[in-house]
Amino acid sequence: MKRFLIIISALFIIISPAFSVEWGGVFNNDSQGMLFEKDELGFTQSNAVNFWVKTPVSKSNKWNLSTELQYRYKLKAIPKSIDFLNILDLSLLKMSGSFDIAKNKVGISLGRFTISDSTFKIFNCKSDGAFLKFDFQRVLIDIYAGFTGLTNHLNNAGFLDSEGNLQSLEGDLYVFEKPYVPVILQIELPSLFANQSLSIQAFAAFDCSDVSNNKYYGTVDFSGPILASLFYKFSTTFGSQSFNNLMNYSSFLLMLFPNKFLSANFGVEYASGNQLIFSNFRTVSSYSLSDIATIELTNSIIPSVGVGFTFGNLYAKFDVKCGLEFVNNSISFNKVFGKLITYYNVFSDFQLGLDVNALLNVENSFDNAFSVSLKGAFVF
């Protein structure tokens, strides 16, 4: 890893005299207090420094090399446990550019960057790979293939095994991630009719260490305006684990923007369980709502509502999600999760934030949890 960073630094030194180099960084602070079951307290403290560099590598400025290096530490003190973790990560290393073919454009990205499926729930991780985007004006085609085994597990979402459990790896500073090969093919019609958009995506994740954990998904998305200030998005995904079962995840979201200060959203998600022809829905990477709360994206219906507003330099958003679980051919209401996010731009390079999270377990109050986070970001 050290030798790799030296090579990257040398590359920038070589090309810097020939091309203009943009650079900058962000210092982040996250101080979080938590209240768990039986009035037990917890605390986490995390600070991170991100340094990024971007430089063109062609005189036409159509090709750029971007990189981002991050150091972060996290101190976590919860009942009966204190953990301290150092993380060093090359979180971005991307060569990107485009060229024209007749009246069409082809975009290329090579290297390490975050990639996700169209739902942002099934797979959302850093990966090393190649991304191609073909813009045929009325039709957009995306192709991606990559490998996760060289990324840092400590700074990635993590992956689920064949039983749906998080595969955790021990270590400090830099731990190689579980090796997966994600492959994506997406076709999008951005203006199908009346500004409505349709996209179809095929996604596969090949587990290099467990063939039985290979997962395959097909997603269809519809989105667009209903009225001038009202938009919708409908998505349905059918998937399978090694072609031995059938899973489904579907979501519907309404977004309202009555003016430039206010927004609201109403949605519902469905993740299949063992009902009818379906099996428990499984994602590839882990998905959680916050450090204190998880509403599993399997065997559940998740209604949600949210409202956000902007007033000057202040932005705030409040969201509520409910967890409804299928139990013995009936629906059980068991969890409510609420989250308040606020940001205040003190000035252009300095931002303060306050997050409040609450998880209420309707069936067992001992599982209730609360957290308050004070955040700050300084751009240099």
Side-chain angles (χ1 to χ4, degrees):
M1 182 66 184
K2 182 178 179 181
R3 182 180 299 175
F4 182 65
L5 294 177
I6 292 174
I7 294 173
I8 296 302
S9 300
L11 178 61
F12 276 111
I13 291 173
I14 292 171
I15 65 176
S16 292
F19 303 104
S20 61
V21 177
E22 300 177 22
W23 64 273
V26 182
F27 176 79
N28 290 290
N29 174 82
D30 187 351
S31 304
Q32 180 176 230
M34 297 171 285
L35 176 63
F36 296 101
E37 55 184 282
K38 301 178 182 178
D39 296 329
E40 293 180 329
L41 298 175
F43 176 77
T44 64
Q45 175 62 41
S46 178
N47 291 102
V49 177
N50 292 58
F51 180 75
W52 61 267
V53 178
K54 180 179 179 180
T55 182
V57 291
S58 68
K59 294 182 179 180
S60 64
N61 288 337
K62 286 189 174 183
W63 291 86
N64 296 281
L65 179 63
S66 304
T67 188
E68 182 174 350
L69 182 66
Q70 181 190 82
Y71 168 74
R72 178 165 64 97
Y73 79 84
K74 185 174 184 180
L75 172 64
K76 186 175 183 179
I78 59 176
K80 303 178 182 179
S81 175
I82 298 178
D83 296 314
F84 184 84
L85 187 63
N86 287 291
I87 301 171
L88 180 64
D89 193 16
L90 184 65
S91 54
L92 176 68
L93 178 61
K94 181 172 70 172
M95 177 79 75
S96 59
S98 63
F99 58 90
D100 298 327
I101 299 179
K103 294 182 180 181
N104 305 310
K105 180 173 289 187
V106 179
I108 301 176
S109 295
L110 303 171
R112 176 173 300 177
F113 46 91
T114 299
I115 195 75
S116 65
D117 73 295
S118 58
T119 70
F120 295 93
K121 302 290 180 63
I122 297 170
F123 184 93
N124 189 14
C125 290
K126 285 183 282 293
S127 176
D128 299 311
F131 178 83
L132 296 175
K133 188 177 190 69
F134 300 90
D135 186 349
F136 299 116
Q137 299 179 29
R138 293 189 176 184
V139 179
L140 307 176
I141 299 176
D142 296 343
I143 301 174
Y144 177 82
F147 179 69
T148 66
L150 299 177
T151 61
N152 192 349
H153 170 79
L154 304 177
N155 206 30
N156 225 351
F159 297 105
L160 305 182
D161 62 20
S162 58
E163 301 300 321
N165 302 311
L166 180 62
Q167 303 178 74
S168 182
L169 301 174
E170 299 295 330
D172 195 46
L173 209 62
Y174 201 102
V175 179
F176 289 115
E177 181 61 276
K178 287 281 187 179
Y180 277 75
V181 175
V183 179
I184 299 173
L185 171 62
Q186 178 172 300
I187 300 174
E188 181 181 356
L189 304 176
S191 298
L192 184 61
F193 62 90
N195 293 322
Q196 305 300 302
S197 174
L198 166 67
S199 71
I200 301 172
Q201 184 184 86
F203 171 73
F206 300 97
D207 188 337
C208 299
S209 58
D210 183 5
V211 176
S212 67
N213 196 32
N214 292 345
K215 297 186 177 78
Y216 311 89
Y217 304 88
T219 301
V220 178
D221 278 309
F222 292 94
S223 62
I226 300 175
L227 300 171
S229 59
L230 182 64
F231 298 80
Y232 79 96
K233 181 177 182 180
F234 170 75
S235 172
T236 186
T237 300
F238 290 92
S240 180
Q241 185 169 309
S242 295
F243 296 111
N244 292 324
N245 59 4
L246 181 64
M247 310 176 290
N248 179 252
Y249 168 76
S250 298
S251 65
F252 180 74
L253 180 66
L254 283 175
M255 296 162 285
L256 177 65
F257 303 93
N259 53 53
K260 63 180 181 180
F261 307 109
L262 184 66
S263 65
N265 59 270
F266 311 88
V268 62
E269 300 170 79
Y270 163 77
S272 65
N274 292 313
Q275 305 107 20
L276 302 175
I277 62 173
F278 296 117
S279 300
N280 285 333
F281 185 77
R282 303 292 188 200
T283 60
V284 178
S285 59
S286 64
Y287 168 74
S288 63
L289 300 174
S290 74
D291 289 343
I292 66 165
T294 298
I295 296 179
E296 290 193 47
L297 209 60
T298 185
N299 193 43
S300 59
I301 297 176
I302 308 171
S304 63
V305 61
V307 61
F309 72 89
T310 303
F311 185 76
N313 292 335
L314 177 66
Y315 171 77
K317 193 172 192 303
F318 179 65
D319 288 293
V320 175
K321 290 179 179 283
C322 300
L324 284 71
E325 185 178 3
F326 295 101
V327 179
N328 298 326
N329 297 321
S330 63
I331 298 177
S332 173
F333 175 39
N334 57 9
K335 290 181 180 179
V336 179
F337 174 72
K339 184 169 188 174
L340 173 65
I341 301 174
T342 60
Y343 293 106
Y344 182 73
N345 293 319
V346 181
F347 47 85
S348 60
D349 296 328
F350 183 49
Q351 184 182 80
L352 290 175
L354 180 69
D355 292 0
V356 180
N357 298 277
L359 175 67
L360 304 178
N361 192 315
V362 178
E363 297 179 341
N364 184 0
S365 61
F366 285 111
D367 288 338
N368 293 347
F370 305 89
S371 72
V372 177
S373 300
L374 177 63
K375 298 183 178 183
F378 176 72
V379 179
F380 58 89

